[in-house]
Amino acid sequence: EDDRARPYDRAAVERFHHALVNIAGVFGRFRTGFIGKSSPVHLFWGALDLAVTRFSGRVAPSHPGGIPNLPDAVTREAYSHEVSSAGFWPGGLGIDYPAFYSYAYPTPAGFEGARIEPSSAFFYRPLGEFILKYDDVRTADDPEAALMSFLDTTYRAAAEFGRWDRAALERQIGEEARPRAVS
């Protein structure tokens, strides 16, 4: 039972909400460039990540589990097929600042050394993920373009090194919830 009063910073909560709404819009637009199975933009269980995931369509090796606060049975189901996943979270697990992340499961050989944009993004070995600080996006000349570049280059690295059938899974990025013209 947790019944103690907790501090509430209304301005901080409103800034966080505003950031999530803006990020969700970019994630949604990124999602339109994929015709394979993908998750909706969603809050990921356990850590309040805002995430979007693309699936290759191929079965993945059984995940070993061991993710904090996530039962192994749920982990194995969530990673039953190859994924390229990206998200945003307010920090934790050695990242003490808000950041975007991107990873692949299983991690294909060569993924860690991929050239990712923007140049401030880096591979964080303890988590096996590419990281882009939120502040690097927020202060960019074109924040949406900076985030889209990160999403696109990390996905392409996962798909290329993982030998996904990109021709069958991808299409030009469009507008979320707007059908394309039939040609």
Side-chain angles (χ1 to χ4, degrees), residues 72-97:
D72 289 346
V74 173
T75 301
R76 281 190 284 283
E77 178 62 26
Y79 296 105
S80 63
H81 289 73
E82 295 175 339
V83 302
S84 172
S85 191
F88 167 79
W89 90 106
L93 298 174
I95 304 289
D96 296 327
Y97 44 81

Side-chain angles (χ1 to χ4, degrees), residues 80-160:
S80 63
H81 289 73
E82 295 175 339
V83 302
S84 172
S85 191
F88 167 79
W89 90 106
L93 298 174
I95 304 289
D96 296 327
Y97 44 81
F100 297 95
Y101 62 83
S102 182
Y103 64 89
Y105 182 79
T107 307
F111 181 68
E112 177 180 341
R115 185 175 188 159
I116 304 301
E117 296 175 6
S119 61
S120 57
F122 60 95
F123 192 83
Y124 186 64
R125 198 167 274 143
L127 294 178
E129 303 176 351
F130 284 100
I131 301 294
L132 176 62
K133 293 179 181 180
Y134 173 76
D135 281 345
D136 290 341
V137 171
R138 185 182 59 78
T139 60
D141 290 339
D142 185 342
E144 182 174 337
L147 179 52
M148 285 294 282
S149 177
F150 179 73
L151 298 172
D152 183 57
T153 57
T154 55
Y155 158 73
R156 278 192 287 126
E160 288 172 11

Side-chain angles (χ1 to χ4, degrees), residues 19 23 35 57 59-60 111 113 143 146 153 170 177:
I23 293 164
I35 59 175
V59 173
F111 181 68
T153 57
E170 298 173 12

Side-chain angles (χ1 to χ4, degrees), residues 9-117:
D9 183 339
R10 181 183 181 115
V13 171
E14 288 174 353
R15 286 191 310 273
F16 184 62
H17 176 255
H18 181 72
L20 290 177
V21 167
N22 287 333
I23 293 164
V26 177
F27 283 6
R29 187 160 183 269
F30 171 70
R31 188 173 178 256
T32 68
F34 195 75
I35 59 175
K37 178 182 174 183
S38 64
S39 73
V41 177
H42 63 285
L43 284 174
F44 201 71
W45 60 83
L48 197 64
D49 300 20
L50 186 66
V52 63
T53 300
R54 293 174 169 187
F55 297 84
S56 75
R58 296 186 311 229
V59 173
S62 183
H63 195 285
I67 297 175
N69 304 313
L70 190 60
D72 289 346
V74 173
T75 301
R76 281 190 284 283
E77 178 62 26
Y79 296 105
S80 63
H81 289 73
E82 295 175 339
V83 302
S84 172
S85 191
F88 167 79
W89 90 106
L93 298 174
I95 304 289
D96 296 327
Y97 44 81
F100 297 95
Y101 62 83
S102 182
Y103 64 89
Y105 182 79
T107 307
F111 181 68
E112 177 180 341
R115 185 175 188 159
I116 304 301
E117 296 175 6

Side-chain angles (χ1 to χ4, degrees), residues 151-173:
L151 298 172
D152 183 57
T153 57
T154 55
Y155 158 73
R156 278 192 287 126
E160 288 172 11
F161 287 110
R163 295 187 176 98
W164 290 22
D165 185 356
R166 293 183 60 204
L169 296 171
E170 298 173 12
R171 65 179 175 192
Q172 184 177 0
I173 288 183

